[in-house]
Each structure stands twice: as C-alpha cells, then as structure tokens.
Amino acid sequence: EVQLQQSGAELVKPGASVKLSCKTSGYTFSNYYMSWLKQMPGQNIEWIGNIYGGNGGTGYNQKFKGKATLTVDKSSSTAYMDLSSLTSEDSAVYFCARHRAPLGYFDFWGPGTMVTVSS
Amino acid sequence: DIQMTQSPSFLSASVGERVTLSCRASQNINKYLDWYQQKLGEAPKLLIYNTNNLHTGIPSRFSGSGSGTDYTLTISSLQPEDVATYFCLQRNSWPWTFGGGTKLELK
C-alpha cells in the first residue's frame, strides 16, 4: 500500500526556517517524482516544485525560488522541503504528492502539514 | 502562467441529480487537465486525469470531457459522499496551476 506520511504541524517565528518531511512507503521511491504544494486557508492550491527520487533533480515554480528548497534521502525514501525567511504569507498547509512522470498527475497525496508563522 | 477559472464557485444540488462543473484555461492546455476532490480537512484525491481518464477506484458516476481551453467534470447521479470542493489542474506547462475550486453541497 502506497503511503505518504508527513511531519507534524509547525509553529515558527517570522524570519525563521522550517524543514518539512514526507516519508514514503509501498513503492519504489527512486522511480517517482514528488511535488510539494501549498494551500492557504480556504484558498487555491499552488504548485511549489518537484524533485525526482532517482537523482534529486528539481524543478521549481519561479514564485517559490529562494523560498523553498527540495531534497530527498533515498536511503529512507523521504522527501524534504525547506522553507526559509518565513512570513505570515507562508502560513498554510503544505502537501507532498507523488507522480510517475515529470509532467504526470498526482496519484497519491500526503495528509498535509500545517505551518503557522507567528511571533 | 496559465490561469484556470472554475465555475460555478458554489453549487447546491440534490441527491441523484446530474451535476456539471466547468474549468476554463487561459490558453490551450492540450487535454492535460486533471480533476481532484477535496473533502474538508483532507488532502485532495485524484478523480480524473488527462481530461477523461478515470483514476483507479473512482466510481463510474464521475466523468470528464473537454478540449482546448474548456473542460467539464460530470457527476451523473450525485451522492451524499460527493460533498466536497473540486479543483481542476493543468499540467500542460510549468508552473502547473489549479483552478479556484467549486464547492459542492447538498440541497
């Protein structure tokens, strides 16, 4: 069974950084891409970027370059996203979602991690 | 970026009713259009990919159609468990972009 398990909710101060994780199981991690997506409360979903589990190659939405950094640990089949210089605009739920091809559809999603930026 | 516009934003319908949701792209997206269902407090779930392909395990009352810039998700007979927000997503070009969603409720 495919599972994407995301790390727990975070409360962080403005200007700080946070690292979110997406631990996978039930499939061959290196054969898939992982995208990260942002959903602010009651709002639209935004695609942040993706990373290939095989070689760590990345692609980013220009809007999130400098804000998000995607990495993987193949040994633990885990994808990570670092968010830096956090502001209130970064308060949102962040999802990881798996896809088979670089332009493939998201067939499995993690449950999401809520990040709250507040002093 | 390609803009995706969904209509209506809100829809109220009765059990058993046929429901049609629309999604319009700001340019041709060559049928690289997916539909996702999101229930309150949950992650989105893939329903339809590449305009008209039903994802594994999704009931056959869901179907998709369209081409060019205009796409449609149809629920042939609305069920209580279909109450959710529905999003379209274009994967024709980066950055991938979602529509604003249609919130579907029971009348």
Side-chain angles (χ1 to χ4, degrees), chain B residues 51-77:
Chain B
T51 296
N52 57 11
N53 293 277
L54 197 66
H55 184 51
T56 304
I58 301 303
S60 58
R61 64 179 180 273
F62 292 92
S63 63
S65 63
S67 63
T69 61
D70 293 315
Y71 298 84
T72 298
L73 173 70
T74 300
I75 307 174
S76 61
S77 177

Side-chain angles (χ1 to χ4, degrees), chain B residues 36-47:
Chain B
Y36 294 86
Q37 176 194 67
Q38 186 177 33
K39 297 184 177 180
L40 197 62
E42 297 182 5
K45 181 172 75 171
L46 176 66
L47 299 176

Side-chain angles (χ1 to χ4, degrees), chain B residues 85-99:
Chain B
T85 299
Y86 292 81
F87 293 96
C88 60
L89 165 68
Q90 70 80 20
R91 290 182 289 107
N92 184 69
S93 60
W94 282 14
W96 297 333
T97 46
F98 287 81

Side-chain angles (χ1 to χ4, degrees), chain A residues 35 37 39 43-47 50 59-61 95 99 101-112, chain B residues 1 32 34 36 38 41-46 49-50 55 87 89 91-92 94-101:
Chain A
S35 274
L37 304 104
Q39 187 172 36
Q43 294 195 29
N44 195 5
I45 304 170
E46 296 180 281
W47 175 73
N50 65 16
Y60 291 93
N61 182 341
F95 296 100
H99 48 113
L103 298 179
Y105 48 85
F106 305 134
D107 60 353
F108 281 94
W109 294 60
Chain B
D1 298 1
Y32 286 103
D34 309 326
Y36 294 86
Q38 186 177 33
E42 297 182 5
K45 181 172 75 171
L46 176 66
Y49 63 93
N50 294 348
H55 184 51
F87 293 96
L89 165 68
R91 290 182 289 107
N92 184 69
W94 282 14
W96 297 333
T97 46
F98 287 81

